[in-house]
Amino acid sequence: MKIAIPKERRPGEKRVAATPETVKKLVALGAEVVVEAGAGLLAAIQDDDYKTAGASLAADPASTLGSADVVFKVQRPMTAAEGHDELALMRRGTMLVAMLAPYADRQGVDAYAAAGIDAFAMEFMPRISRAQSMDVLSSQANLAGYRAVIDAAAEFGRAFPMMMTAAGTVAPARVMIMGVGVAGLQAIATARRLGAIVSATDVRSATREQVQSLGGTFVFVDDEEARQAETSGGYAKEMSAAYKQKQAELIATTLKKQDIAITTALIPGRPAPVLITEEMVKTMRPGSVIVDLAVEQGGNCPLSRPGEVVEAYGVKIVGHLNVPSRIAVDAAALYSKNLLNFITPLIDKGTKQLAIDWDDEIVKGVALTRGGAVVHPALKAS
């Protein structure tokens, strides 16, 4: 069984789908691993490191992908229209494992089926106990939450912690985290470590204790709808217009006192909800900073711009794309372990070949296409 690790070619992507550590473990499972030359350079991994770990190097995408049984990628394959037709280089029956953005790229799902590729979208990983080590959304969001605070600090014109000096006292920064998922919790912890006074808000009342355990103050519209605001998969539900109005009023009042706001709210398969309106931005202190981690799905603030740092009404609004890739070394390390943990149970210990149980809950959760057909329930009828 040959596992291929191609170089990522999408703009701004610095991660890679395997590290020397995971290559060693894949080889120990009986796999032959081929890595495209230069695939890990942007994540500080040299080609020789892969060779030492037991991988062979391929000079180009064709020789990397052409004979592969399994392809590990970070982002979905590029198309001919994008300059590199990676999908065309894969054989029928190849297993493709990556973050495939199936909601945003529905045509791509059909293309995998037409090409006979068995595609697995890692961002569809079920939120169950035995899949925690495979959860790419959590591993990457954790780093994104950390990096969001660092990016905010870089744009903020003041210090985070209280400082008492002979020349006077520096007041601590006030930071508000909007959305208390994995990214939000890490943002709270990071901002607290830097000495900020932190508050946080979420539609899910169950997050209150998590916020308070990290030393933050929970800001919340407490009503019956909020008590039912979490899906069985652990995600936030879309809230009613009435709840959104109450939440907006509370946020507007709270934001006036903040120096930094970090927004992390996402709803799978839908545009990001607007949390900070233009009117709210107008009321924020001059020199304040907003970091919008949802900018790639439309943004939690309508003034944010994908890939840009803009200023509006004296407030800096940060809209960096692909934030986990801004910490490529650690992001690649965690992501590659997610892939390793996913593939390991699918390899028969005796034959060293793939033995996929298509009825397994994890496999059913992430499988998009199989044998030339779209098989994921959320996509078959769309």
Side-chain angles (χ1 to χ4, degrees):
M1 179 182 63
K2 182 180 286 188
I3 299 176
I5 315 296
K7 183 189 298 182
E8 297 295 322
R9 287 179 162 79
R10 291 193 175 276
E13 184 54 74
K14 299 179 181 179
R15 294 169 292 180
V16 63
T19 63
E21 179 186 352
T22 61
V23 165
K24 283 182 184 178
K25 293 180 179 179
L26 291 170
V27 170
L29 290 170
E32 176 188 350
V33 181
V34 56
V35 179
E36 184 178 354
L41 292 179
L42 296 179
I45 304 171
Q46 302 297 315
D47 289 345
D48 285 346
D49 296 332
Y50 285 121
K51 290 176 67 176
T52 301
S56 59
L57 295 178
D60 53 48
S63 54
T64 305
L65 299 170
S67 60
D69 300 298
V70 179
V71 174
F72 281 174
K73 286 189 92 286
V74 178
Q75 295 204 40
R76 66 188 189 277
M78 295 186 73
T79 66
E82 294 171 311
H84 299 274
D85 196 348
E86 295 176 298
L87 194 61
L89 300 176
M90 301 180 200
R91 301 181 302 174
R92 293 189 72 84
T94 298
M95 178 183 184
L96 170 64
V97 186
M99 291 186 285
L100 297 173
Y103 288 129
D105 182 32
R106 184 61 180 80
Q107 289 183 332
V109 178
D110 293 331
Y112 307 143
I117 303 298
D118 294 340
F120 295 78
M122 289 297 287
E123 62 267 64
F124 274 11
M125 188 62 62
R127 289 279 172 93
I128 58 176
S129 295
R130 65 188 178 94
Q132 286 181 348
S133 66
M134 313 171 194
D135 188 346
V136 299
L137 291 184
S138 292
S139 73
Q140 302 304 290
N142 188 54
L143 291 170
Y146 162 80
R147 182 68 200 212
V149 177
I150 302 304
D151 287 336
E155 298 293 343
F156 190 45
R158 290 175 41 211
F160 263 54
M162 174 182 284
M163 298 181 186
M164 302 188 71
T165 75
T169 300
V170 175
R174 293 183 175 272
V175 178
M176 185 171 192
I177 312 300
M178 305 179 73
V180 187
V182 174
L185 288 169
Q186 184 56 247
I188 294 168
T190 303
R192 287 283 296 149
R193 289 188 196 107
L194 289 178
I197 296 173
V198 181
S199 58
T201 184
D202 196 286
V203 298
R204 297 164 296 178
S205 60
T207 61
R208 180 195 303 269
E209 290 185 6
Q210 294 172 308
V211 171
Q212 292 173 340
S213 70
L214 292 171
T217 300
F218 194 53
V219 179
F220 180 63
V221 176
D222 192 359
D223 65 9
E224 186 58 35
E225 183 177 359
R227 298 184 189 101
Q228 311 295 325
E230 187 169 338
T231 69
S232 58
Y235 297 100
K237 291 181 180 178
E238 180 79 28
M239 305 300 282
S240 69
Y243 184 91
K244 288 179 181 178
Q245 179 60 35
K246 288 189 285 186
Q247 183 189 39
E249 291 171 359
L250 178 61
I251 296 305
T253 300
T254 308
L255 269 179
K256 295 176 183 179
K257 307 169 187 175
Q258 305 302 311
D259 299 302
I260 291 168
I262 296 173
T263 68
T264 73
L266 292 169
I267 300 172
R270 297 200 179 182
V274 173
L275 302 182
I276 301 179
T277 65
E278 183 172 356
E279 289 303 311
M280 293 178 189
V281 175
K282 291 179 181 179
T283 69
M284 294 181 71
R285 298 171 177 174
S288 296
V289 176
I290 298 170
V291 179
D292 191 344
L293 286 181
V295 69
E296 293 179 67
Q297 286 185 224
N300 295 142
C301 177
L303 299 179
S304 61
R305 296 291 176 265
E308 298 182 31
V309 177
V310 298
E311 188 166 328
Y313 309 108
V315 176
K316 283 187 178 180
I317 306 172
V318 180
H320 292 310
L321 300 175
N322 195 356
V323 175
S325 187
R326 293 169 63 78
I327 319 176
V329 174
D330 289 325
L334 295 182
Y335 179 73
S336 64
K337 287 179 182 176
N338 293 144
L339 298 186
L340 172 67
N341 293 332
F342 172 67
I343 200 73
T344 297
L346 307 183
I347 299 175
D348 184 270
K349 293 182 180 178
T351 65
K352 309 297 184 183
Q353 300 296 316
L354 284 173
I356 301 173
D357 178 3
W358 292 94
D359 291 322
D360 181 84
E361 184 178 4
I362 291 174
V363 173
K364 289 170 70 174
V366 298
L368 301 184
T369 59
R370 178 190 179 192
V374 177
V375 297
H376 198 281
L379 300 166
K380 282 196 292 188
S382 58

